[in-house]
Amino acid sequence: MKPKLLVIIGPTAVGKTKLSVELAKRFNGEIISGDSMQVYKGMDIGTAKITEAEKEGIPHYLIDIKDPDEPFNVQEFQERANEAIIDIHSRGKLPIIAGGTGLYIQSVIYDYQFSEAPTDPAYRKHLENRINAGEIDSVMDELRNIDPESAERIHPNNVRRVIRALEIYHCTGKTMTDQLLDQPKEMKYDTLLIGLTMEREKLYQRIDQRVDLMVEQGLVQEVREFYQQGLRDCQSIQAIGYKELYDYFDHKTSLNEALDALKQNSRRYAKRQLTWFRNKMDVVWYDMTDTEGFAKKTEEISAFIAGKLLIKANK
């Protein structure tokens, strides 16, 4: 018997955190964050990290496990998430992954195998020479054109990974993302994927309101502390909400322009998340546009989960 696994996915600001906690209470569950940036300590406001009060006593995993100057990738996420799933299941509880990083979640539920693609030293040297000559923006544009998902994940200053992503495509004709997605789609666990969606105008409004609330909560100061520590050439600072404010601190934009860019980039990210989930994952979708009807929607989702995973909900 495969361990049961519940996965809650959807775009940023759609309500995954609140629902996952409610479902964990109902189904004796524990939650694994599927967010690629909430792993970083101190990046609390900008990543909308769940607070201790919001957890309502439910254990959470893969949050605050990395310092901001440390790298983190899909393979490490897969390893750590699998360990957490086995641990949670061994104690008779239901593992619940909640998050919005599509490739990370897929790597776990489909048990992706990470193997080495061929190399081309001459091509790699060519890219290194271009980057050393100051052409990193041009090289990143090439990566965005052929593999936008990898370009989203890889910081331009992580030259080794930028080059490797382009080298894989050069050698195989397939992107790094395609190689993962082409793997057999046999699920490692008895998995149920619940997707949350929302009418786009309402979702974008919620995203804008969330950014305004982040600013009230101290987002600018949170990012300024990283800036003053000299954190720059690292993956964490590429997160939405941090890179835009770095431009403000570098006097490239005004604060209002930086916040407008943050909102716009968050809306674009939400759109990409929805496209990814709908095209590449087998999901049962629930519309959360009526935020006043959250309790009723939670009952509906709970009944569906109980029937599909054959588990009883707590009263």
Side-chain angles (χ1 to χ4, degrees), residues 10 16 22 90 94 109 121-122 126 149 174 182 215 232 312:
K16 298 183 298 294
E22 187 59 36
S90 72
L94 176 66
I109 62 178
H126 166 71
E149 287 92 351
K174 288 188 174 183
D182 284 346
V215 173
R232 184 175 288 270
K312 280 188 176 182

Side-chain angles (χ1 to χ4, degrees), residues 69-83:
D69 60 351
E70 292 183 290
F72 189 69
N73 59 36
V74 61
Q75 187 170 2
E76 183 175 357
F77 173 82
Q78 182 194 55
E79 292 169 358
R80 287 177 176 262
N82 280 327
E83 289 173 2

Side-chain angles (χ1 to χ4, degrees), residues 88-106:
I88 294 166
H89 184 262
S90 72
R91 291 181 280 106
K93 295 179 177 289
L94 176 66
I96 301 172
I97 297 180
T101 307
L103 183 61
Y104 278 34
I105 294 169
Q106 282 184 298

Side-chain angles (χ1 to χ4, degrees), residues 166-201:
L166 286 166
E167 184 183 30
I168 287 173
Y169 181 75
H170 172 77
C171 292
T172 67
K174 288 188 174 183
T175 67
M176 182 186 295
T177 303
D178 286 339
Q179 287 196 340
L180 293 174
L181 297 179
D182 284 346
Q183 296 195 38
K185 292 295 189 292
E186 181 180 350
M187 288 195 173
K188 182 180 178 70
Y189 304 104
D190 180 8
T191 304
L192 178 60
L193 286 137
I194 299 293
L196 306 185
T197 186
M198 185 174 284
E199 192 274 320
R200 186 160 293 180
E201 186 176 337

